[in-house]
Amino acid sequence: PIPEMLQRLRQENVKSPAEQPKVKDGGAKYSRKERAIWRFWARLNTSPAFYRLFLWGATRFGKLAPKNVGPWTENHSAPIPARRSLHDLAKAHLNQGDR
């Protein structure tokens, strides 16, 4: 029953331990940090003004991004934010066609 298991794991991941019924051999671990990150991501992607503000800061202060972003950087280099957003690149490309 893989779909049911995946659905249960997703539900366990977003509900605090107090909200969940006790499940024998529960497989997900509740994380306040992960929950806060997903809430931030949801807010960022549902508010155009907040998205533009975040994008402005990310393109200008990308050098301040952490170099160690967890286990990923043990075998990979840390991601570097782009200097220009995809929106800016597309706008510049479309403006070149107007000439």
Side-chain angles (χ1 to χ4, degrees):
I2 292 175
E4 291 84 9
M5 290 171 58
L6 290 173
Q7 185 177 18
R8 189 195 80 202
L9 289 172
R10 287 184 189 125
Q11 290 172 353
E12 287 177 15
N13 197 34
V14 297
K15 291 182 182 178
S16 71
E19 297 175 43
Q20 295 183 43
K22 297 294 181 195
V23 178
K24 182 180 178 187
D25 299 325
K29 182 178 180 186
Y30 176 77
S31 167
R32 289 181 194 269
K33 181 179 174 182
E34 185 176 351
R35 189 173 187 185
I37 290 170
W38 281 114
R39 282 189 174 177
F40 173 78
W41 181 88
R43 175 78 172 129
L44 180 68
N45 286 285
T46 56
S47 170
F50 188 49
Y51 178 80
R52 283 191 296 273
L53 178 66
F54 181 81
L55 190 61
W56 180 87
T59 55
R60 278 143 183 95
F61 304 111
K63 298 270 185 200
L64 299 176
K67 302 294 182 226
N68 182 358
V69 287
W72 172 263
T73 53
E74 291 176 9
N75 300 311
H76 302 86
S77 58
I80 301 169
R83 291 184 188 143
R84 294 180 68 197
S85 71
L86 181 59
H87 293 270
D88 292 340
L89 293 171
K91 190 184 293 185
H93 178 73
L94 289 174
N95 288 340
Q96 284 180 346
D98 292 339
R99 294 180 188 178

